[in-house]
Amino acid sequence: MITLYHCADARSFRCLWALEDLGLPYELKLLPFPPRWKQPDYLEVNPLGTVPLLIDGDARLTESAAIVQYLATRDGPSALSVEPGRPGYGAWLNWLHHGEATLTFPQTLVLRYRLLEPPERRLPQAADDYARWFGKRLEEGLGRALSDGREWLVADRFTAADISVAYALLLAASLGLDAGFPPSVADYWARCRARPGFRRAKAAQRDRRV
Ligand SMILES: N[C@@H](CCC(=O)N[C@@H](CS)C(=O)NCC(=O)O)C(=O)O
């Protein structure tokens, strides 16, 4: 049985969405955020204190993009994978990791220095700079890619790459950065939110909220 440690709408949402989309059985451990303060015994399970943590037999993974890739390929080719040697394989991997490394990372600085730190430790200039940095990368990367009218990022179908990138859009919406989405990105984000797997993942975290 796969176990996923998760906080509502944190990066572990990518993993929950992939589990739901693939229809894999799993146990969900829903934690309060941030677990290192609100559930310190979690540090015994994951000394990093971060979510996601996915345990599957002897596999222990703590990187959300790697987990989505792992789940998509765990049992061989799946609806969410693009296989080595197939058209779009390189683009699939690149978008999968772009979603975290390029589109989510700058937003965590906005989150921290605009909202999470106590007022006296906030850094409006850093938060504003990284909000702009995110906006530029979004426009130059995802916005430009979608301007050819494609529905999904690779292989003419919804894949794990879309899950990874769409999570970055979810976080942007929660930070109020979605007002700057180019129209093609706003439409893509609406398509992603309408996916049955996205809705089931949202319901799963809602039903088990602590
Ligand atoms: N690169 C990792 C980052 C994991 C991470 O930092 N997760 C955040 C939630 S989105 C977290 O657990 N933060 C709590 C903390 O750092 O104490 C991933 O993609 O999973």
Side-chain angles (χ1 to χ4, degrees):
M1 174 67 95
I2 294 171
T3 303
L4 175 65
Y5 290 82
H6 169 60
C7 295
D9 285 349
R11 286 170 171 98
S12 44
F13 186 79
R14 288 189 176 113
C15 317
L16 185 56
W17 186 354
L19 286 164
E20 286 291 341
D21 222 277
L22 292 163
L24 291 169
Y26 66 93
E27 183 188 4
L28 186 62
K29 303 260 194 198
L30 195 59
L31 305 171
F33 187 84
R36 79 175 66 246
W37 301 120
K38 301 229 172 116
Q39 192 144 333
D41 60 350
Y42 177 57
L43 293 170
E44 290 160 28
V45 189
N46 177 13
L48 293 175
T50 54
V51 290
L53 166 65
L54 183 127
I55 302 176
D56 182 20
D58 62 4
R60 286 174 55 91
L61 292 92
T62 57
E63 288 292 335
S64 59
I67 292 171
V68 172
Q69 185 177 347
Y70 172 81
L71 293 172
T73 54
R74 173 180 181 263
D75 301 314
S78 76
L80 293 181
S81 69
V82 176
E83 295 305 302
R86 306 296 301 172
Y89 175 63
W92 180 71
L93 278 180
N94 200 58
W95 283 117
L96 189 52
H97 295 281
H98 181 86
E100 172 58 22
T102 295
L103 293 181
T104 302
F105 154 73
Q107 296 190 74
T108 61
L109 296 171
V110 178
L111 176 65
R112 176 167 184 175
Y113 290 111
R114 192 175 277 173
L115 297 171
L116 294 183
E117 288 287 348
E120 68 280 9
R121 293 203 76 248
R122 288 186 190 166
L123 297 172
Q125 186 184 341
D128 293 350
D129 284 353
Y130 278 96
R132 264 196 302 278
W133 196 96
F134 164 75
K136 286 301 281 178
R137 294 298 184 282
L138 190 71
E139 198 184 309
E140 290 155 355
L142 186 63
R144 195 180 282 249
L146 293 171
S147 67
D148 65 6
R150 75 180 79 173
E151 206 174 354
W152 306 113
L153 288 171
V154 283
D156 293 325
R157 60 187 166 84
F158 179 82
T159 69
D162 297 293
I163 289 182
S164 179
V165 168
Y167 173 72
L169 303 180
L170 184 156
L171 181 59
S174 77
L175 292 172
L177 302 178
D178 52 340
F181 285 0
S184 62
V185 173
D187 290 350
Y188 170 76
W189 171 222
R191 279 196 293 284
C192 291
R193 292 198 311 272
R195 299 280 311 175
F198 177 92
R199 291 171 181 225
R200 284 199 301 275
K202 279 282 189 181
Q205 67 177 17
R206 199 168 44 239
D207 294 348
R208 283 174 239 184
R209 194 180 285 277
V210 282

